[in-house]
Amino acid sequence: MKEKISKAVISRLPRYYRYLADLKEENVDRISSNDLAKRMHVTASQIRQDLNNFGGFGQQGYGYNVSYLHGEIGKLLGIDRQNKVIIIGAGHIGQALANYQNFSRRGFLVKALFDIDPEVIGRNIRGAEVYSLDRLEEYLAENEVDIATLTLPRDRALEVANRLCACGIKAIWNFAHTDLNVGEDVLVENVHLSESLMQLSYRMLAAREAEEERMKHAEQLKLDHRRRSEKAGGLRKELPGA
Amino acid sequence: MKEKISKAVISRLPRYYRYLADLKEENVDRISSNDLAKRMHVTASQIRQDLNNFGGFGQQGYGYNVSYLHGEIGKLLGIDRQNKVIIIGAGHIGQALANYQNFSRRGFLVKALFDIDPEVIGRNIRGAEVYSLDRLEEYLAENEVDIATLTLPRDRALEVANRLCACGIKAIWNFAHTDLNVGEDVLVENVHLSESLMQLSYRMLAAREAEEERMKHAEQLKLDHRRRSEKAGGLRKELPGA
DNA sequence: TAGATTGTTAATCGATTAACAATC
DNA sequence: TAGATTGTTAATCGATTAACAATC
């Protein structure tokens, strides 16, 4: 029925959702693609094109109803339902995610964590218990889980991912710094924090270099200018009538 | 001098870096774009095109020297130098980042954290002290900082970002769920965790729907088939010679 | 030298932007 | 009805892939 939506479009949906939530907060009832475009620093064309992938949410001559559009995008993103999440790896990041209230606010409920460290097994984080990783299969047999989060060292990530897939998990949110080559019916969304940081680092260095280049260029111009003035001065002295 | 490198290329550099580190670990000396492409599930063309943005790292008839290429990409990403990082917001995520050893391993050193909560101020996380946010300007005047990480609630993020920019910070790693409209000479790299999760959720729902569609379609085919057989059977009965 | 493989140009593909007819 | 603004088609732009000459 519907065409496959490109990744670029999907990646923009949450941002639309956020801006619409803000507009709702400001009690704005309707907005045109043009006004929204100005706020978001994108083109109105892109907004209309993006939204039309999912059907006509707007109305000619009127624009988009903020509340309605917000709701529809929320439905697309699955915010309207309860998504059951588990976290494998109850280290610093795993625990931070379990504590992150923005997730539960959007319907992502952390139901359980798993770890191998006896120190953390048995702890309870905002209602979610930390189980021994040994009990993963047992838990999955008894409980429905939508999304499994991997926050463990990279060398153990693939093994756990395979165990999850064997239990029928269809969506993995991967924080481990490795590519999970699992079956293609299993969705993997990567969050590679150090890669994000490295990209920032790259851009920072590139900007510094560009800045230095600019400075050097300006310096050169100044030098050239001085030399030219001197030469002109010299010429003047040599002019006959001087 | 050099052309502007596209964001798509930059985002792939850390992944090349990771695969090259793995190859080094496996004591592989050289690799062709073709073999690397197979490992990474990308095209050889893309690898050669990407790397050539930064100059000829390879050699015709030989391929790429793993160790050399790893080093060069590391330099591009600033892994070879010490990057001084501070973290504003010493909550769960901020503390998790400060504890994350993969960063220091790549030359990103968390030097200090800042918070307004008296409960956490004064704590020490792997050698980095948590200061009162009041002392941010004081700290920045006395210490060189390359990257500022924002892990605080969205409503306070922009204000802090502006304070950072006023002190000359040129790179912000933003975990706050908002767009920071700072000066265009300031680099912002966003990590929007809930948006990443929402994208996964979207893809999960889309896959489920596609699956249902497939099932329904298969069901319909079965029905059609049965109906056709029945009709054929009926016809047969009515055939004269029966 | 012959074989291999890069660096680079050309062709293709996909995503973004512009334009405008449809319609509220 | 006239004005506004969408939905959608066409044009442009950029990124990816293919091809191949250069060269180790």
Side-chain angles (χ1 to χ4, degrees), chain B residues 149-189:
Chain B
T149 309
L150 293 188
T151 47
L152 35 69
R154 55 173 296 190
D155 46 299
R156 250 178 295 132
L158 185 57
E159 178 226 317
V160 171
N162 287 333
R163 284 171 64 185
L164 288 164
C165 294
C167 295
I169 286 287
K170 287 281 175 274
I172 295 177
W173 199 27
N174 178 41
F175 285 70
H177 199 214
T178 186
D179 294 325
L180 301 177
N181 292 313
V182 290
E184 49 172 49
D185 61 325
V186 179
L187 302 167
V188 178
E189 181 82 25

Side-chain angles (χ1 to χ4, degrees), chain A residues 158-172:
Chain A
L158 185 55
E159 178 226 317
V160 171
N162 287 332
R163 284 171 65 186
L164 289 165
C165 294
C167 295
I169 286 286
K170 287 281 176 276
I172 295 176

Side-chain angles (χ1 to χ4, degrees), chain B residues 6 12 43 45-46 48-49 59-60:
Chain B
S6 85
R12 285 192 292 265
T43 64
S45 238
Q46 182 168 72
R48 293 206 297 278
Q49 199 76 276
Q59 194 166 76
Q60 280 103 328

Side-chain angles (χ1 to χ4, degrees), chain A residues 154-155, chain B residues 16-31 36 39 65-71 105-106:
Chain A
R154 54 173 297 188
D155 45 301
Chain B
Y16 290 133
Y17 188 72
R18 173 151 51 87
Y19 274 83
L20 288 162
D22 289 349
L23 284 164
K24 245 180 105 170
E25 195 72 21
E26 295 169 28
N27 291 310
V28 177
D29 284 339
R30 50 178 256 194
I31 192 154
L36 185 56
R39 274 199 180 227
N65 180 294
V66 170
S67 185
Y68 172 72
L69 186 56
H70 179 257
R105 218 176 287 148
R106 289 186 181 78

